[in-house]
Amino acid sequence: MILVLQKEVTEEQKSHIRNVLRGEGYLIREMSDGGRLLIGAIGKPGHDLDFFERLPGVASVTPISTSFKLASREMHPKDTEVHVGDVVIGGERIVVIAGPCAVESREQALTIGREVRKYGAVLFRGGAFKPRTSPYAFQGLGEEGLKILAEVRDELGLGVVTEITSPAQADMMMKYVDVVQVGARNMQNFELLKCVGRMGKPVLLKRGLSATIEEWLMSAEYVLSEGNDHVVLCERGIRTFEPYTRNTLDLSAIPVIKNLTHLPVIIDPSHATGMREKVSPMARAAIAAGADGLMIEVHHDPDRALSDGPQSLYPKQFGQLMRNIYVIAPVVGKQVDFGYLDKAKAVKLMSAARGGGDRRAAFLGELGTFSHRACTQYFGSEVRAMPMSSFRQIFDAVKGGEVDFGVVPLENSLTGSIHENYDLLLEYDLRIIGEITLRIMHHLIARPGGKIETIKRVFSHPQVFEQCRQFLEQHQGWELVSAKDTATAVKRIKEGGLVSDAAIAGKQAATIHEMEVIQEGIETNPRNYTRFVVIATAELKNGPRRKSSLIYSTGNRPGALYETLKVFAERGINLVKLESRPIHGKPWEYIFYVDLEADIESPSYKTVLDELGKRTDYLRILGSY
Ligand code: PEP
Ligand code: MN
């Protein structure tokens, strides 16, 4: 059952409630939800719910309706995030685990590790104890394999995932690996589940070949009930009557799981399909369906792989898959971050150099705006997001060292460039160190229980009204009131307390202020994206450097711009953006902002910069990221 405590509950009342529950033999978990304290209590009820409801300080008591308790969403309304070093599974960034089915040699593991890391995997997989159908098939390298995995971690900085097949391996696993996998065949090996529960390390729990979702969650419950909350569920296909694929990937498990439990869920399309050419399509579908990550088998020489070669992707295919999910993820509100590990390392180094403490990133507006979301998706939870009231304030704060980073929007796919920020980039001597693109979805948000029929007044930013024009035209009677930003609009309706008020904003603003989305996706054009850049005084060490941004001006000569563009064309450098802005105080003279797909500061492009220098009056590199 879940006990919801009163807002004004005292410390004495709380400890009395805890004591009563413990005295009755309940296992208790405390959590807060929207400022209220909840106590989840699991055990055999000796009294009926009324007894607990009468305890001083308790507002209400509800039974948990499912057979799994600790794993249930009712018990823990917020998503669980499982941390593996710098990697967070279950957050807003997709986590891709990749590597061979089995560790075959040091050389093989390191070769594949280097490849998958290059293409964006953040954890490495490889079996050392292989549960094979035939006792005569390769059984894995055992401890030797675990040692190789530890070497991969040390050399490449990738956390390692491997399967445990017996409690007898626990000590070895503790020594060498970061995540222990419970394989499909062991999903109901209850002694093994209790053992990994006690180990306390993150657990990747695969769904059994013929297990229902409920049975799978009951297995997760075994791990959780040992006090280990770090459980990641992995759907890997179930056995059906269909022989064309090795198993049948149950993609509908993703939304079902998301509803039933707070635990993250990832998809293994390799074992689900058993065929190389089927892996990428299912992986793309999994991301679109809301999976928190993927586990993919990759091998550099699959024809000679000792196990599961036919379903292993070649490294290049894996790279292509990563590029595809990079595009898909923002559509469902997530990100694939190619700089994930390097960025985390660089932020840590920065912290150490500045004597510890939190790193801070400034963004425009209140918590819950799209700028705030850009900030949290770019940095994860490692950097503290700091609200600011103007773009100039962000630039000043970064320049003055008050914050380490700034996150500012540069362009929207429908409304075009945000010129103020282009001008500020020219004015301030700061570097662009990264970029992030968000899909901008607007929702109609009201107070809980609010209905579209009762709405009379709507708050939002004027540009948002513009982007939702078609929807608003269907509601001519509504009064539109402009707000500073979308999150402020949601705050207004919360504080105003009127059921006739609504706001238009992103989902995050509704969640933060505990308001309800009453109509989803009301923007006229669903292809609505905003690109943000991250600014700082200096570049991050070892950033990905796939792209560069430059500013330059040419004299007012015939063909002057053409001459500069020719330099890029001759070196085969892809230009992805060209924007011109008038130069203040010099009528009819322009400065150009250029984005290129190249690390323009690398030694191999020195001649390009030299050539460009000769053809421009002013040239500055804003950053390579
Ligand atoms: C594996 O991940 O290599 C594996 C054996 O998976 P499963 O348990 O899903 O068959
Ligand atoms: Mn395998």
Side-chain angles (χ1 to χ4, degrees), residues 259-473:
N259 193 29
L260 291 176
T261 178
H262 50 90
L263 297 172
V265 60
I266 69 165
I267 295 293
D268 169 355
S270 308
H271 292 89
T273 62
M275 280 174 258
R276 184 174 306 130
E277 80 278 6
K278 311 261 184 299
V279 170
S280 296
M282 296 321 285
R284 297 194 299 259
I287 297 305
D292 294 299
L294 298 169
M295 176 142 111
I296 310 279
E297 285 186 344
V298 177
H299 203 291
H300 64 300
D301 188 5
D303 288 346
R304 269 185 281 237
L306 296 180
S307 72
D308 286 348
Q311 68 192 34
S312 299
L313 294 188
Y314 286 95
K316 278 221 170 71
Q317 290 178 310
F318 174 69
Q320 190 53 46
L321 169 62
M322 292 299 295
R323 286 171 63 86
N324 288 336
I325 63 167
Y326 175 79
V327 178
I328 297 169
V331 176
V332 291
K334 296 207 173 109
Q335 296 289 328
V336 168
D337 185 351
F338 289 115
Y340 204 133
L341 298 172
D342 292 326
K343 206 182 333 176
K345 208 156 89 193
V347 169
K348 280 217 176 80
L349 278 176
M350 197 167 164
S351 266
R354 298 191 182 167
D358 278 353
R359 304 287 38 104
R360 291 141 53 107
F363 68 94
L364 182 72
E366 297 265 344
L367 297 180
T369 56
F370 289 102
S371 290
H372 177 220
R373 194 169 171 84
C375 200
T376 57
Q377 289 205 347
Y378 185 81
F379 289 109
S381 50
E382 278 180 55
V383 168
R384 190 137 59 94
M386 307 291 294
M388 298 273 156
S389 56
S390 71
F391 290 133
R392 184 173 287 281
Q393 201 189 0
I394 297 176
F395 279 78
D396 278 332
V398 175
K399 188 177 162 207
E402 205 182 302
V403 296
D404 305 281
F405 310 103
V407 178
V408 294
L410 272 195
E411 54 180 327
N412 176 270
S413 58
L414 300 180
T415 50
S417 294
I418 291 113
H419 292 131
E420 185 182 350
N421 285 327
Y422 276 102
D423 293 345
L424 289 165
L425 280 171
L426 179 64
E427 186 181 330
Y428 285 74
D429 191 18
L430 297 172
R431 300 278 293 185
I432 296 179
I433 63 151
E435 65 173 346
I436 181 164
T437 299
L438 293 193
R439 178 178 173 195
I440 306 297
M441 264 183 105
H442 296 306
H443 310 301
L444 188 67
I445 295 165
R447 300 182 55 79
K451 296 225 164 20
I452 199 156
E453 296 78 31
T454 56
I455 287 166
K456 293 203 177 82
R457 195 162 63 154
V458 182
F459 295 85
S460 199
H461 190 273
Q463 213 178 22
V464 177
F465 290 139
E466 199 50 45
Q467 293 182 359
C468 301
R469 200 205 302 242
Q470 248 174 39
F471 172 79
L472 291 170
E473 275 169 3

Side-chain angles (χ1 to χ4, degrees), residues 148-199:
I148 294 172
L149 286 172
E151 249 185 273
V152 170
R153 180 191 41 231
D154 295 346
E155 192 157 327
L156 304 176
L158 291 170
V160 293
V161 184
T162 202
E163 180 167 351
I164 182 168
T165 55
S166 151
Q169 296 150 2
D171 289 342
M172 265 191 260
M173 295 280 168
M174 287 306 287
K175 204 152 101 195
Y176 301 114
V177 307
D178 303 290
V179 180
V180 285
Q181 173 177 328
V182 174
R185 288 154 198 84
N186 274 316
M187 189 205 84
Q188 285 187 319
N189 180 340
F190 300 113
E191 289 312 311
L192 188 63
L193 293 173
K194 285 189 231 167
C195 165
V196 296
R198 286 191 297 269
M199 283 168 73

Side-chain angles (χ1 to χ4, degrees), residues 100-102 125-127 129-132 163 181-186 204 206-207 209 234-237 246-247 268 271-272 295 297 307-308 311:
C101 179
R125 64 148 287 146
F129 296 94
K130 294 305 303 175
R132 303 303 295 276
E163 180 167 351
Q181 173 177 328
V182 174
R185 288 154 198 84
N186 274 316
L204 194 139
K206 287 205 158 186
R207 180 177 180 182
L209 274 69
C234 178
E235 158 66 37
R236 44 78 72 206
R246 181 172 173 181
N247 292 289
D268 169 355
H271 292 89
M295 176 142 111
E297 285 186 344
S307 72
D308 286 348
Q311 68 192 34

